[in-house]
Amino acid sequence: MSELPPPPFGTVQQWGEKLNAYLQRVRDKLNYKINDARASEDGVLLWDPAIDHPVVSIDGEWVPLGYGANEPDQGYGYGAFVDYNDHTAAATETAYALTWGTEVYSNGVAIDDTVTSRINFTNSGKYYIHFTAQLNSQSANAKTFWFWPRINGTDVTGSTMRITMHDNDEAKTIARAAIFEVSAGDYLEAYWAVDSTDTALKTYAAETFCPAVPSITLMVKSV
């Protein structure tokens, strides 16, 4: 019978140390995550060669395993941020920073008090970051959206997402996950641009059967 990974126990640091020891024993047995691997079942552990890190399937996503201390002054941090305002572009082919209105969770990663487009990092390290935006087309003409991150005001090379929409009142969600390495005091921003002003990043009010839809979301977790 194959050895199972240790279940969570104690502090995150204690569990992380046991998990590291387990991975060292069975690392040659971990299957590689291929490009079309689906996270349809929770708890599947794979090695992702794209990020050189183990990942586990949780709620339909491949999430890098986090391990380390569980206190912010020891390097562990996380945050979840959303915004329930519509975002529009005043001009085409112009970069605009997205602003964040709601801090759902925050531990060593937080919205800047003055410049609300900035997500500040208290501690150095590698962070798993997952971004989504709710796109809305407001005409029947073709229109293209671009999204990309900046760290300390500098574009992250090769990081842009691009999507084109065609139908009036068409709605789509765009998403991407990545791992960034930052230093203490760095800040992250999400930028976007469009080639038509008949566009919006749109929030939707709650229905009787479901909660409200945020226009943008951001999840951050140290790994």
Side-chain angles (χ1 to χ4, degrees), residues 87-89 133-138 141-148 160-167 170-172 174 191-202:
H87 295 259
T88 58
Q134 185 74 37
L135 316 184
N136 181 256
S137 167
Q138 300 177 341
N141 300 319
K143 56 197 64 67
T144 298
F145 296 73
W146 292 267
F147 297 87
W148 68 98
T160 300
M161 293 186 290
R162 181 182 184 275
I163 187 171
T164 299
M165 301 172 68
H166 301 85
D167 298 330
E170 181 182 4
K172 287 185 178 180
I174 195 169
Y191 273 77
W192 75 303
V194 290
D195 65 358
S196 169
T197 55
D198 292 336
T199 53
L201 307 182
K202 193 169 179 61

Side-chain angles (χ1 to χ4, degrees), residues 147-151 154-157 159-160 180 188-191:
F147 297 87
W148 68 98
R150 288 182 181 178
I151 294 179
T154 300
D155 294 337
V156 177
T157 303
S159 62
T160 300
F180 294 146
L188 170 74
E189 293 176 292
Y191 273 77

Side-chain angles (χ1 to χ4, degrees), residues 58-64 78-82 98 100 109 119 121 127-133 149 161 173-180 188 190 216-223:
I58 301 175
D59 295 333
E61 293 187 28
W62 292 107
V63 178
Y78 58 82
F81 314 99
V82 299
L98 294 170
W100 302 96
V109 184
I119 303 297
F121 293 85
Y127 290 81
Y128 169 82
I129 295 173
H130 185 265
F131 168 83
T132 73
M161 293 186 290
T173 301
I174 195 169
R176 177 171 286 178
I179 291 180
F180 294 146
L188 170 74
I216 51 175
T217 71
L218 186 70
M219 182 181 78
V220 181
K221 182 180 182 293
S222 63
V223 295

Side-chain angles (χ1 to χ4, degrees), residues 23-145:
L23 292 174
Q24 289 172 6
R25 291 194 301 272
V26 302
R27 63 184 183 274
D28 59 332
K29 299 177 183 177
L30 279 179
N31 291 322
Y32 271 60
K33 176 181 172 290
I34 58 177
N35 290 335
D36 59 350
R38 295 184 179 181
S40 55
E41 180 183 356
D42 284 356
V44 177
L45 185 65
L46 297 175
W47 178 263
D48 189 341
I51 59 174
D52 289 331
H53 199 86
V55 294
V56 64
S57 54
I58 301 175
D59 295 333
E61 293 187 28
W62 292 107
V63 178
L65 288 179
Y67 44 84
N70 60 353
E71 296 296 332
D73 61 355
Q74 295 176 311
Y76 186 75
Y78 58 82
F81 314 99
V82 299
D83 193 70
Y84 290 99
N85 297 296
D86 291 350
H87 295 259
T88 58
T92 61
E93 299 182 354
T94 302
Y96 292 99
L98 294 170
T99 54
W100 302 96
T102 301
E103 206 168 69
V104 183
Y105 298 104
S106 177
N107 188 10
V109 184
I111 301 171
D112 189 273
D113 291 335
T114 303
V115 184
T116 57
S117 64
R118 297 180 178 181
I119 303 297
N120 294 329
F121 293 85
T122 302
N123 301 296
S124 301
K126 293 180 180 178
Y127 290 81
Y128 169 82
I129 295 173
H130 185 265
F131 168 83
T132 73
Q134 185 74 37
L135 316 184
N136 181 256
S137 167
Q138 300 177 341
S139 72
N141 300 319
K143 56 197 64 67
T144 298
F145 296 73

